[in-house]
Amino acid sequence: MKYEIEIPEYLSIGEYQKLSSLDHLTDLEKTMEIVHTITTIDKDILSKWTPNQLSNIGESVLNLMEFDSATFYPIIEFNNVLYGYRPISKMTLGEYIDLERLSKEPNTNLHEIIAIIYRPIIKDKTQSLKFKLINGHKIAKGTAENLFKYYEIEEYNSKDRGVNAEKMLEFPVSFALGAMSFFLGVGTKLSSSTNKYLRPTEKMTITKEMNNLILSIGDGLAQYTHFQKPISYQSQETRVSLS
């Protein structure tokens, strides 16, 4: 029997989370889970394939994946909504506290972490910006420091995060991992710079507590500074035929 299988443009956060928890499976079980997750072919159908059929399509899927390092993009259009990255320098105590808690299980909570870091833009001056298309999403061109000046995102509300987090399950994981790497890079520099000026005063004690909070978040998310080259797909949807 001949199967025609569609490969999507990118791997989502939800798919990445599923594929990041397969270490307990055998190689064939992992391959079946990967094919099922990416193609949505029912497992009952896959179980009737021969090992060679499963291995062939699994290899075809892996060959279509790019394993380049993820890139950070401050402004992304996702599901027809323009999202902006939240610079660490503008984060509130509420955002820090939630990030610290969620960072204790970063893979499981990645969609919730991204719902804090990327939020809908409510005010912008993006009309003058140029955009490019990556994995089917519009991305603003320009350096991070420059693009941060072009927008304001909606105020953070911990109670509403769950709704936005559900949407982020479909967010491209390569964009998410790029943002994580950038966030930790800036956080590490901020932590190092504040350490130089700590003094035994009440004001510096507060600064030290914030510094420790950044370090705590960084410890939880540290895997994203060395993440195993994030899985992302080639830029166009692909069809794979298997006889």
Side-chain angles (χ1 to χ4, degrees):
M1 182 179 293
K2 185 175 181 178
Y3 297 90
E4 189 173 79
I5 299 169
E6 292 187 359
I7 306 301
E9 289 183 286
Y10 63 88
L11 195 70
S12 70
I13 287 177
E15 291 166 335
Y16 177 81
Q17 289 171 324
K18 290 178 183 178
L19 300 184
S20 295
S21 59
L22 305 180
D23 289 342
H24 63 290
L25 301 179
T26 66
D27 288 344
L28 273 178
E29 288 173 332
K30 286 180 184 178
T31 305
M32 177 183 285
E33 193 65 38
I34 289 170
V35 173
H36 167 67
T37 299
I38 293 173
T39 67
T40 68
I41 296 175
D42 193 276
K43 288 183 182 179
D44 289 337
I45 294 176
L46 291 176
S47 66
K48 296 175 183 177
W49 289 14
T50 65
N52 281 341
Q53 282 180 306
L54 186 63
S55 296
N56 286 341
I57 189 59
E59 184 177 349
S60 297
V61 167
L62 290 174
N63 286 339
L64 288 170
M65 294 178 181
E66 295 178 354
F67 293 89
D68 297 326
S69 296
T71 303
F72 167 60
Y73 302 108
I75 301 175
I76 301 171
E77 186 177 271
F78 172 63
N79 285 347
N80 298 317
V81 176
L82 209 56
Y83 284 81
Y85 172 86
R86 178 68 156 177
I88 193 171
S89 60
K90 295 184 178 180
M91 285 191 171
T92 63
L93 186 58
E95 289 167 294
Y96 276 120
I97 289 172
D98 284 349
L99 277 174
E100 182 184 32
R101 178 176 55 80
L102 294 168
S103 297
K104 292 176 181 176
E105 294 185 75
N107 274 346
T108 301
N109 298 323
L110 183 56
H111 59 303
E112 296 213 43
I113 293 170
I114 294 301
I116 296 175
I117 291 178
Y118 278 110
R119 302 205 294 275
I121 291 174
I122 54 174
K123 294 181 182 179
D124 68 83
K125 303 174 184 176
T126 58
Q127 294 82 357
S128 60
L129 293 178
K130 293 183 179 180
F131 287 79
K132 58 184 176 181
L133 204 62
I134 297 180
N135 290 338
H137 296 81
K138 288 172 64 177
I139 306 295
K141 294 182 178 181
T143 63
E145 292 78 7
N146 183 50
L147 291 175
F148 289 157
K149 305 171 186 176
Y150 281 83
Y151 64 88
E152 291 181 24
I153 60 175
E154 67 181 18
E155 187 174 308
Y156 181 63
N157 186 325
S158 185
K159 294 179 181 178
D160 294 338
R161 189 188 67 249
V163 176
N164 291 328
E166 286 299 310
K167 298 175 184 177
M168 288 301 177
L169 285 169
E170 300 301 320
F171 194 74
V173 73
S174 59
F175 296 168
L177 296 180
M180 290 289 90
S181 183
F182 180 85
F183 177 89
L184 290 173
V186 173
T188 300
K189 289 180 182 178
L190 179 60
S191 173
S192 298
S193 64
T194 54
N195 269 331
K196 297 177 183 178
Y197 304 105
L198 291 179
R199 295 290 185 275
T201 64
E202 183 177 359
K203 181 178 180 180
M204 288 299 103
T205 299
I206 295 173
T207 302
K208 185 175 181 179
E209 290 302 317
M210 288 304 300
N211 182 54
N212 289 338
L213 186 56
I214 293 171
L215 289 174
S216 177
I217 294 170
D219 287 342
L221 301 179
Q223 68 185 75
Y224 296 125
T225 58
H226 322 283
F227 51 78
Q228 297 176 353
K229 293 180 180 179
I231 305 170
S232 60
Y233 289 117
Q234 293 181 346
S235 59
Q236 298 297 323
E237 185 176 86
T238 307
R239 291 176 182 269
V240 177
S241 293
L242 177 68
S243 299

